[in-house]
Amino acid sequence: MIRQSFAWWSFAMDPATDPGALLAGAAGAGAQGVEMLPDDLWPVALDLGLSIVTLSGHALETGFNDPARHAALRDEVRRRIDDAAAGGCEAVIVFSGSRIGDGADGPAIAACVEGLGPVVEHAKGAGVRLLLELLNSKVDHPGQQCDRTAFGAAVVRQLDDPGLRLLYDGYHMQLMEGDLSRTISDNLDLIGHVHTAGAPGRRDLDDRQEINWRAIAGLLARKGYGQWVGHEFVPRGEPVAALAQAIALFNAGAEAGVRNV
């Protein structure tokens, strides 16, 4: 069965959230991990049997597409890699950053490859993976350069190191390019993590949104995908119930996908 996690920021948006209760509820709902959890809550999650799956390595607006930022970013991301290794977190998320200059993709891809190379080596030495996230520039992150699968795939392929993989966010890529099933199939060897959310709106995985996440789950299961799927949507209602529904949908899709090979 595909391992499923949830993004802390999107499920704990209510200032009145009781962290311990939400983590316990998520574990009871079938989540196996949690992402982008504040470091001080890691012991609580681990005590509940939840894996600490990801953390963000740096702010997403300024990234590795800017050679002038490489030295500072490398230092920052190395510190977060060390934090991850010390606390048992599996992966650190990195970003291209917003477009600079004329915004051309070719030089930006080359800059990301050059900038990320030494950081990947540090991560591998620490037993941590790096994930380059695909983001939409249409709604949520105007100007973000890594806003198409082709851009992120080019960085990963050119760096040619298993220590860096794509974080394929289906919500973001539905807004930018659609064609999720074929894109996932064509690039599955480069994908190290998947994020879900309903599109449009970044809400629950239900019939009010256009992505067929049950079918995506079946595709991943048929293809033998062995990495995490993280739910990163903002629940309309009670967070644990929404997470339980998403996990059940994904499990059912994966089971159907395997049966229908």
Side-chain angles (χ1 to χ4, degrees):
M1 194 62 63
I2 295 172
R3 296 175 298 167
Q4 296 181 64
S5 55
F6 72 103
W8 182 256
W9 76 265
S10 65
F11 282 82
M13 294 186 75
D14 185 344
T17 297
D18 179 330
L22 177 54
L23 289 166
Q32 295 170 278
V34 58
E35 302 188 41
M36 296 166 277
L37 181 70
D39 297 19
D40 63 324
L41 292 175
W42 290 8
V44 180
L46 292 170
D47 284 347
L48 290 164
L50 292 169
S51 296
I52 311 299
V53 183
T54 66
L55 60 82
S56 294
H58 60 98
L60 58 83
E61 294 81 10
T62 53
F64 284 91
N65 65 343
D66 184 356
R69 294 281 301 166
H70 282 178
L73 280 172
R74 284 169 179 163
D75 288 345
E76 183 176 4
V77 176
R78 283 183 180 119
R79 286 193 296 271
R80 291 305 280 154
I81 289 168
D82 293 342
D83 292 340
C89 178
E90 297 184 16
V92 173
I93 304 169
V94 294
F95 307 96
S96 72
S98 297
R99 293 177 185 272
I100 58 172
D102 65 6
D105 281 349
I109 289 167
C112 287
V113 172
E114 178 186 5
L116 283 166
V119 186
V120 171
E121 288 303 313
H122 186 84
K124 285 164 61 180
V128 174
R129 291 188 307 145
L130 292 187
L131 298 169
L132 177 61
E133 183 162 11
L134 306 172
L135 300 167
N136 84 76
S137 59
K138 185 182 290 186
V139 176
D140 299 286
H141 305 291
Q144 187 67 204
Q145 186 134 32
C146 189
D147 64 352
R148 303 276 177 165
T149 304
F151 183 99
V155 174
V156 174
R157 287 197 191 282
Q158 289 185 30
L159 191 57
D160 192 24
D161 192 307
L164 175 69
R165 284 293 178 262
L166 288 179
L167 196 170
Y168 185 88
D169 190 304
Y171 160 75
H172 289 302
M173 290 302 96
Q174 177 67 11
L175 268 60
M176 295 305 300
E177 59 190 22
D179 202 16
L180 301 190
S181 295
R182 179 162 51 182
T183 305
I184 289 170
S185 295
D186 289 348
N187 295 280
L188 194 61
D189 61 320
L190 307 179
I191 295 173
H193 197 93
V194 172
H195 273 168
T196 80
R202 203 171 200 159
R203 292 292 194 170
D204 305 56
L205 311 190
D206 58 20
D207 58 6
R208 302 190 209 182
Q209 54 96 32
E210 64 196 24
I211 304 174
N212 186 346
W213 280 111
R214 180 185 171 101
I216 298 295
L219 171 68
L220 292 171
R222 285 195 304 276
K223 297 288 186 179
Y225 176 76
Q227 307 300 329
W228 287 93
V229 167
H231 299 294
E232 195 184 19
F233 61 86
V234 179
R236 289 191 184 89
E238 199 281 315
V240 171
L243 179 60
Q245 184 273 335
I247 290 171
L249 179 149
F250 228 83
N251 283 338
E255 291 170 3
V258 171
R259 287 198 306 268
N260 296 328
V261 171

